[in-house]
Amino acid sequence: MRQRTSLVVLLTAITVGCIHKQSGPVSPWERVNVNLAALAQINDDIAKGVIAVQQAGTITVQQAAPVLNYQETVAKDHIALENILAAGSAQALSQSAEIQALLNEIKNQGTALIQSGGLGVKNPKSQQMFAQDLQGIVNLAEVVLADYQLAEVK
Amino acid sequence: MAKLETLAKLIAEILAAVTVAGPSGVELFLKLESLLNLGPDEQANVAVAIKAGLTADAETIAAVEAWKQQVGV
C-alpha cells in the first residue's frame, strides 16, 4: 500500500505536468477535462486500495468509512461536474459558480479529513499514507480549479 | 544535458514505482498514460476524458456501495 501511495503521488505529479497532444497546444478546456478524469481515476484506485486494506484487516470498518465516504462524495461531485462539462465549454462557463463550488467541496472536505487526523489508522505510518493519498486528490482539485479559471479568462 | 539527466532520473523513479506497485498500480499508470496522450481533435479529447472519468466514478461508487453492504454501514 505504501508503494501504491508513492505511485499515486508520483502519478499526480506526472498528471499535472505532462499532458501531450499530437498536434498543437493543449487547450485550457482539454486540460480541465483531462485533469478531472485523472482525478476520478486516482480516486477510484485509492478507494479500492482502502477497501483492500480494510478487508485484509489492517484497518477497521470505522477507520475506513470516513475515507470511503469522502471518496464516494468525490465521485458524485465529479459526476455532477461532468454533467455540466458535457454540455460544452459555453454552457460550462455560464455555470462557473456551481463548478467552482463542487471543486471547492472536493478540496475542502479532503483537507478537513486530512487535518482531522480522524482517519483512525493505528499505525502512524499508515495514517500518513492515507493523508498523502487524499492530499493527491486535493492537489488535483486545486489544479483543475486553476485550469478552469484559466479557461474562463480565454 | 541537464534535461536528459532529469528525464533519466524521472524515468528511473517511474520504473521503480511501477515495479513495486504491482498489477493494480500498473493498471492505473497505463490508464493515466492513455488519458494524458491527446489526439489532434479537441472535442474528441474532451469526450474521451469525460467518458473515462465517468467510468471511474461508476466503479468507485459501486465498489464503495458494495463494501458498505458487505460490512453493514
Side-chain angles (χ1 to χ4, degrees):
Chain A
M1 191 64 189
R2 188 179 179 84
Q3 288 92 353
R4 174 190 285 268
T5 304
S6 303
L7 184 69
V8 167
V9 171
L10 181 63
L11 288 172
T12 304
I14 293 169
T15 306
V16 170
C18 299
I19 301 174
H20 299 287
K21 192 169 177 180
Q22 279 176 13
S23 61
V26 179
S27 73
W29 189 239
E30 283 171 317
R31 207 170 281 282
V32 166
N33 282 280
V34 169
N35 280 330
L36 259 182
L39 185 152
Q41 289 186 338
I42 292 170
N43 186 52
D44 181 46
D45 191 71
I46 294 171
K48 287 172 181 168
V50 172
I51 290 169
V53 167
Q54 189 282 313
Q55 287 174 337
T58 309
I59 60 173
T60 65
V61 168
Q62 289 70 27
Q63 290 165 330
V67 183
L68 290 172
N69 282 335
Y70 168 69
Q71 293 183 290
E72 194 170 23
T73 300
V74 171
K76 287 177 177 173
D77 282 353
H78 182 261
I79 289 173
L81 280 166
E82 294 293 20
N83 285 336
I84 298 171
L85 298 181
S89 56
Q91 173 75 9
L93 293 177
S94 73
Q95 291 185 258
S96 172
E98 194 174 346
I99 288 172
Q100 296 196 48
L102 286 164
L103 286 168
N104 277 320
E105 182 178 48
I106 292 172
K107 197 177 81 167
N108 295 338
Q109 283 191 14
T111 302
L113 191 56
I114 293 164
Q115 288 176 347
S116 73
L119 299 180
V121 180
K122 288 178 186 173
N123 183 340
K125 284 184 182 176
S126 299
Q127 187 162 358
Q128 187 180 354
M129 176 189 73
F130 284 116
Q132 283 176 337
D133 278 353
L134 295 174
Q135 190 62 53
I137 298 286
V138 170
N139 290 347
L140 261 177
E142 281 174 354
V143 167
V144 173
L145 200 52
D147 288 342
Y148 178 73
Q149 284 160 350
L150 191 64
E152 264 189 323
V153 173
K154 291 204 170 181
Chain B
M1 193 63 186
K3 276 185 182 175
L4 274 178
E5 282 173 10
T6 306
L7 188 62
K9 195 177 168 192
L10 181 62
I11 289 171
E13 284 174 3
I14 291 169
L15 287 176
V18 168
T19 302
V20 296
S24 66
V26 173
E27 188 188 331
L28 175 66
F29 176 84
L30 292 175
K31 273 187 195 171
L32 288 176
E33 177 68 12
S34 162
L35 190 65
L36 298 177
N37 283 297
L38 305 181
D41 181 65
E42 183 186 90
Q43 268 194 313
N45 292 334
V46 169
V48 167
I50 289 175
K51 189 179 173 193
L54 289 175
T55 301
D57 291 332
E59 287 184 18
T60 305
I61 292 167
V64 173
E65 287 300 319
W67 176 80
K68 283 180 177 175
Q69 274 205 325
Q70 187 191 352
V71 300
V73 294

